[in-house]
């Protein structure tokens, strides 16, 4: 699910950098212009890591190319200052309402989001997404698994829709709030998000794919994301590592796919860095090591539809991708 890699980058940029700059803004000072309009372009390259059979292990890189993904998203945020009191912990409380339009080569997805920061170290957030997809150069952006054929088959753009509603909370802290100085900023972030995701026209317990990523299902899923970073007094101002854990609460597909283990929890471990060039341009990048199911039976990486009938035997770690995000603020 490479979408999660970009979600992690976005979350780090939008929430992580807010605490990093907290000491630079005096209590009570606010931006006179409440709107923030920016565009984000994501690029993600993955080498080939051929799947191995057996128990828990690491799969090395076996080829120079597996996939290349790109995405552009236009955001518009409105910030409303909502002080809950005169104390410094409460005086900078704010509410951010935003809307975005995401475009990839195989899909479109507008969505809206809301975040409330009652305390400098705590944020609550929610979002609602609706998207549809098409086929581009043989890649289906939206598919449903057909048990009769044993293959994923394309759905119709504009007729079938990807829907997602989510809510969660974030704890974020910068030690620079305790010890002043250019070299005292150890950054921590922990967020938990609960989401319900569905693809219209697909029955419950039936596998489907979105943006060429397979093995989704209609249901409630969770996402833990953690960051431990260090802030530098340079343009390359953040280095750190992120850990993301996600999966379904009840991930059981139809009983025919019981050996596949739909409740498998995916982990992503990512060294990351952030660079701010000027007031308008910033860059994020990360290398991601990821887990996937290991099976008793052999199969090719491209044969994702066959995995549903295989027997999960363990966890396989592999190098998933190198991702890069450019953010331009208008």
């Amino acid at each position: 699910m490479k979408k999660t890699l970009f979600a992690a980058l976005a979350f780090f940029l939008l929430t992580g950098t807010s605490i990093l700059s907290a000491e630079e803004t005096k209590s009570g000072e606010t931006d006179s212009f409440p709107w923030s309009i920016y565009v984000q372009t994501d690029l993600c390259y993955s080498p080939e890591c051929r799947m191995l059979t057996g128990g828990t292990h690491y799969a090395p890189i076996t080829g120079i190319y597996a996939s290349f993904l790109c995405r552009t998203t236009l955001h518009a945020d409105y910030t409303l200052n909502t002080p809950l009191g005169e104390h410094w912990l409460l005086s900078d409380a704010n509410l951010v309402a935003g809307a975005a339009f995401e475009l990839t080569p195989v899909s479109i997805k507008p969505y809206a989001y809301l975040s409330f920061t009652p305390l400098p170290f705590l944020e609550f957030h929610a979002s609602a997404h609706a998207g549809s997809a098409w086929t581009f150069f043989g890649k289906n952006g939206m598919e449903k698994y057909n048990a009769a054929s044993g293959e994923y088959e394309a759905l119709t753009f504009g007729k079938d829709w990807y829907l997602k509603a989510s809510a969660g909370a974030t704890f974020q802290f910068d030690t620079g709030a305790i010890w002043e100085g250019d070299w005292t900023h150890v950054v921590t972030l922990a967020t938990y998000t609960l989401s319900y995701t569905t693809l219209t026209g697909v029955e419950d317990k039936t596998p489907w794919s979105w943006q060429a990523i397979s093995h989704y299902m209609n249901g409630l899923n969770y996402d833990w994301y953690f960051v431990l970073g260090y802030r530098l007094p340079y343009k390359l101002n953040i280095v750190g590592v992120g850990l993301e854990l996600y999966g379904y609460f009840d991930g059981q597909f139809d009983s025919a796919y019981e050996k596949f283990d739909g409740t498998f929890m995916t982990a992503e471990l990512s060294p990351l860095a952030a660079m701010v060039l000027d007031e308008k341009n910033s860059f994020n990048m990360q290398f991601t090591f990821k887990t996937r199911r290991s099976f008793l039976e052999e199969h090719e990486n491209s044969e994702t539809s066959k995995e549903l009938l295989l027997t999960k035997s363990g966890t396989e770690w592999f190098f998933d991708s190198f991702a890069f995000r450019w953010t331009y603020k208008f």
Side-chain angles (χ1 to χ4, degrees):
M1 297 186 209
K2 291 188 177 62
K3 72 178 183 66
T4 59
L5 184 147
F6 294 119
L9 280 171
F11 214 88
F12 184 73
L13 181 66
L14 296 178
T15 62
T17 55
S18 67
I19 60 171
L20 298 177
S21 59
E23 78 285 354
E24 297 174 0
T25 303
K26 296 180 180 179
S27 177
E29 290 185 357
T30 59
D31 192 336
S32 59
F33 187 66
W35 284 98
S36 177
I37 300 174
Y38 54 99
V39 62
Q40 295 175 325
T41 300
D42 301 312
L43 303 174
C44 180
Y45 158 76
S46 297
E48 180 186 46
C49 298
R50 182 179 173 82
M51 291 183 171
L52 304 176
T53 59
T56 299
H57 55 264
Y58 179 79
I61 295 175
T62 54
I64 193 171
Y65 175 79
S67 65
F68 181 79
L69 304 179
C70 60
R71 170 180 306 164
T72 297
T73 309
L74 177 65
H75 291 260
D77 295 352
Y78 183 86
T79 301
L80 178 65
N81 295 310
T82 56
L84 301 177
E86 296 183 358
H87 191 278
W88 68 271
L89 277 174
L90 304 173
S91 60
D92 290 329
N94 65 74
L95 181 71
V96 177
F101 183 83
E102 174 191 290
L103 176 66
T104 78
V106 294
S107 66
I108 57 170
K109 182 166 67 75
Y111 56 97
Y113 46 90
L114 188 70
S115 68
F116 176 54
T117 308
L119 300 169
F121 52 82
L122 181 64
E123 180 194 72
F124 299 99
H125 51 88
S127 63
H129 307 240
S132 194
W134 55 87
T135 300
F136 181 75
F137 281 95
K139 294 291 185 180
N140 298 324
M142 185 171 55
E143 299 174 311
K144 173 184 177 180
Y145 184 74
N146 186 325
S149 65
E151 298 289 342
Y152 279 99
E153 298 178 354
L155 295 175
T156 305
F157 172 69
K159 178 181 178 182
D160 300 292
W161 291 86
Y162 168 91
L163 304 175
K164 177 181 178 181
S166 66
T170 298
F171 172 83
Q172 49 195 13
F173 187 71
D174 178 0
T175 57
I178 301 176
W179 301 290
E180 295 185 1
D182 291 339
W183 301 94
T184 61
H185 299 275
V186 176
V187 182
T188 59
L189 180 147
T191 183
Y192 179 75
T193 303
L194 185 67
S195 304
Y196 185 84
T197 309
T198 184
L199 194 63
T200 63
V202 177
E203 300 80 9
D204 288 345
K205 298 188 177 182
T206 297
W208 48 268
S209 74
W210 170 251
Q211 294 179 342
I213 307 299
S214 303
H215 309 330
Y216 290 110
M217 66 177 293
N218 295 342
L220 194 64
N221 48 85
Y222 61 88
D223 189 307
W224 287 97
Y225 182 57
F226 306 93
V227 168
L228 176 63
Y230 184 69
R231 180 185 180 186
L232 303 167
Y234 304 117
K235 289 187 179 297
L236 177 63
N237 66 340
I238 297 295
V239 292
V241 62
L243 173 65
E244 186 170 16
L245 307 170
Y246 56 91
Y248 286 96
F249 285 100
D250 181 10
Q252 296 303 328
F253 294 110
D254 187 89
S255 58
Y257 321 121
E258 183 176 356
K259 295 185 294 183
F260 173 73
D261 184 14
T263 59
F264 179 78
M265 181 182 71
T266 300
E268 295 187 6
L269 184 65
S270 305
L272 50 86
M275 177 181 295
V276 178
L277 294 185
D278 51 43
E279 293 182 355
K280 293 184 176 294
N281 295 278
S282 61
F283 297 92
N284 282 22
M285 63 198 78
Q286 70 180 51
F287 295 86
T288 298
F289 296 86
K290 186 177 177 180
T291 62
R292 60 191 175 195
R293 296 169 180 84
S294 179
F295 300 100
L296 287 177
E297 306 88 350
E298 290 188 358
H299 74 296
E300 297 296 327
N301 289 34
S302 58
E303 298 174 326
T304 54
S305 58
K306 291 186 177 181
E307 293 178 356
L308 293 164
L309 300 177
L310 301 182
T311 304
K312 181 209 160 203
S313 58
T315 299
E316 182 172 88
W317 280 92
F318 67 104
F319 177 69
D320 178 65
S321 58
F322 167 68
F324 173 86
R325 161 168 287 180
W326 171 40
T327 300
Y328 180 80
K329 297 181 179 180
F330 294 96

